[in-house]
Amino acid sequence: DFGILTISHADHGYVIDISPNGLTMMNMKEADFMELTDRISSCDRDIFMETIRRIFKGEMSTADVGAGFEVSDGEVHRFVFHFKSTKNPADGLYCITAAFLDTSSKKSIAMAENESDSDPVTGFLKRNSFFAEAQDYLNESVEENLGVAFVSIKLNRFQKIFTLMGNETAEKLLNVYAGGIEKCSAKPAFFGKMSVDTFAAIIPCEGRETALKFVKNLGLYVENSCNGKILPEILTGQSGFTAGVYLYNGDDDVISAYNKAELSLVADFSEDGGNCRFFSDEIAMELYNRDIMEQELRAALSGNQLELYYQPKTDFDGKIYGAEALVRWNHPHSGVISPEAFIPVAEECGLITRIDEWGLMQACQQAKYWQEKGYRKIRVSVNMSHDQLLKTDVVAAIKKALDETQLDPAQLEIEITETMAMQDINRTIELLKKIRSLGVCVSMDDFGTGYSSL
């Protein structure tokens, strides 16, 4: 039997709903996100949460994740979750639905045995079959004292290639990768097809250099296949991949070990500045801290912990003619946190647009307050994020702030960066014209650092 899980955004984190059958499978009395994540095995929790983050960020629309789940004291079952996302056109936020299966139950095992074990395109084992059979390979490697590495290989632009060049070319690309993974691996090795655009390999490995050599050779193999005979030459430079590597330490089971390799895919640094990323305790801690900051940032938005500081703008005579609104987070325990620390997290989890709208309203209120107190009129500048400009109705948000505060539009300046503007130049020009039609000033920051020059 399957359970159904839905996850959606809320002010203080995530809200979940679990079907009655799912609650029974997990031995939960009611749906509670914190209880759900607390019961997930510690070795699987990071990849489970990172998958949710990546889906909410829009990096993937579907994903399959295996995780151990404590159904009672001392009893852990393995569950497989199939995630799928839908986007709410009203606020641009994602909602996740997951069908999940208890692979420890006899009924579930029988159902799985009736399905095909292999991927029809590459012949590699599918995710569940890979995990089921790879444990024997891993046990033999340990008995023979053979060092191994778990490698997760994610194709960078597969969905785009599939959309633009069709199913036939996409399948040829997958077969090239499958052939390359086998050819570039030392023997014996073990392979799997984990999702639409992700492969798994467990390869004999003496250390980082061996893994780096495998990744480099695979890249050359794929690139050399873009020769007009096997794959179109146009795919040269577009058919790349990112590899997450976990050097097995002898302690983890197969699912936990592969999860660490998969988790490495989202790391912000690589071994050689290229496409190979190794799992480390630092990566795990970084992702854990990012998750904590995301939860606290949601609380900060509803708990009035965010503040605007105003940096004066002066003319040649030293007279103030304007001010730039800068957001700061006054954390109740950590003190003032700079934007460099929390803005990237806000961008990743979809909170940046809410922060932008809050900041816009606050800046307009402050400018109006100064005016009512009799101070000389100054123009307040507000930074606009990429998501706010191109993924929301920014014109309506500006108009609402002006209407509610009764601020003279000439006292408001919207600031964007050059790089942001050039990402969709035609739409940006159209939006900036509409903003100017409201009487609001527009300025561009970082001009000349990206595309333009005087």
Side-chain angles (χ1 to χ4, degrees), residues 376-432:
R376 180 166 54 91
K377 285 186 177 182
I378 64 172
R379 183 179 297 159
V380 175
S381 175
V382 178
N383 292 298
M384 192 69 62
S385 71
H386 168 272
D387 284 2
Q388 179 74 355
L389 182 67
L390 299 177
K391 295 184 180 180
T392 69
D393 191 344
V394 63
V395 177
I398 294 172
K399 191 173 186 304
K400 178 183 177 183
L402 293 173
D403 289 344
E404 291 191 10
T405 61
Q406 292 298 297
L407 179 68
D408 180 356
Q411 286 185 256
L412 177 64
E413 180 177 84
I414 299 299
E415 186 174 299
I416 66 171
T417 65
E418 177 196 13
T419 303
M420 182 197 309
M422 294 302 294
Q423 289 183 3
D424 190 342
I425 186 64
N426 293 328
R427 188 176 176 204
T428 300
I429 291 173
E430 179 185 349
L431 287 171
L432 296 185

Side-chain angles (χ1 to χ4, degrees), residues 9 14 49-61 85 87 92-96 266 268 290 294 298 344-351 387 391:
H9 279 297
Y14 301 117
M49 293 302 301
E50 186 59 28
T51 300
I52 292 174
R53 272 193 293 266
R54 292 178 66 185
I55 295 176
F56 275 136
K57 190 180 176 184
E59 291 183 354
M60 56 173 68
S61 58
S85 70
K87 188 174 184 180
L93 298 178
Y94 290 91
C95 178
I96 300 174
V266 300
D268 294 331
R290 192 167 66 186
E294 178 184 335
R298 293 182 184 279
V345 176
E347 290 173 338
E348 288 180 9
C349 66
L351 287 176
D387 284 2
K391 295 184 180 180

Side-chain angles (χ1 to χ4, degrees), residues 73-223:
D73 290 341
E75 184 179 1
V76 176
H77 285 195
R78 298 298 309 184
F79 285 81
V80 173
F81 296 82
H82 176 69
F83 292 106
K84 186 175 182 180
S85 70
T86 56
K87 188 174 184 180
N88 186 341
D91 55 18
L93 298 178
Y94 290 91
C95 178
I96 300 174
T97 302
F100 60 92
L101 180 70
D102 182 355
T103 60
S104 303
S105 70
K106 294 181 179 179
K107 187 173 183 179
S108 297
I109 293 172
M111 291 172 62
E113 289 176 346
N114 290 329
E115 298 180 354
S116 174
D117 292 331
S118 302
D119 173 61
V121 176
T122 64
F124 281 6
L125 291 172
K126 291 181 180 178
R127 190 181 188 96
N128 290 345
S129 300
F130 172 85
F131 286 139
E133 298 186 26
Q135 190 63 54
D136 291 337
Y137 169 87
L138 189 60
N139 293 340
E140 292 175 6
S141 300
V142 172
E143 289 176 2
E144 297 174 8
N145 200 28
L146 178 67
V148 299
F150 285 73
V151 187
S152 179
I153 301 159
K154 182 175 177 59
L155 281 61
N156 294 339
R157 300 178 181 87
F158 182 74
Q159 188 60 52
K160 182 178 180 180
I161 293 171
F162 177 86
T163 302
L164 296 179
M165 307 195 71
N167 183 67
E168 183 177 352
T169 299
E171 289 191 354
K172 285 183 180 179
L173 179 61
L174 292 175
N175 276 314
V176 165
Y177 265 96
I181 290 169
E182 287 187 294
K183 185 177 179 64
C184 298
S185 303
K187 303 296 184 290
F190 200 83
F191 314 112
K193 181 71 160 44
M194 311 306 278
S195 68
V196 173
D197 59 357
T198 306
F199 291 88
I202 309 176
I203 61 174
C205 184
E206 299 175 358
R208 289 175 177 252
E209 291 302 319
T210 305
L212 284 169
K213 183 178 179 181
F214 165 74
V215 172
K216 181 180 179 180
N217 288 342
L218 177 59
L220 291 174
Y221 181 91
V222 175
E223 186 174 335

Side-chain angles (χ1 to χ4, degrees), residues 32 54 90 154 196 227 274 285 335 353 362 420 447 450:
D32 181 88
R54 292 178 66 185
K154 182 175 177 59
V196 173
N227 53 13
M285 183 57 67
T353 56
Q362 290 290 316
M420 182 197 309
F447 181 82

Side-chain angles (χ1 to χ4, degrees), residues 25-65:
M25 292 166 61
M26 293 181 164
N27 194 24
M28 293 175 61
K29 295 181 179 179
E30 58 184 2
D32 181 88
F33 187 78
M34 292 303 296
E35 181 185 358
L36 176 73
T37 53
D38 285 345
R39 288 207 199 179
I40 295 175
S41 299
S42 58
C43 56
D44 300 324
R45 190 176 298 123
D46 284 342
I47 189 63
F48 186 90
M49 293 302 301
E50 186 59 28
T51 300
I52 292 174
R53 272 193 293 266
R54 292 178 66 185
I55 295 176
F56 275 136
K57 190 180 176 184
E59 291 183 354
M60 56 173 68
S61 58
T62 62
D64 296 307
V65 176

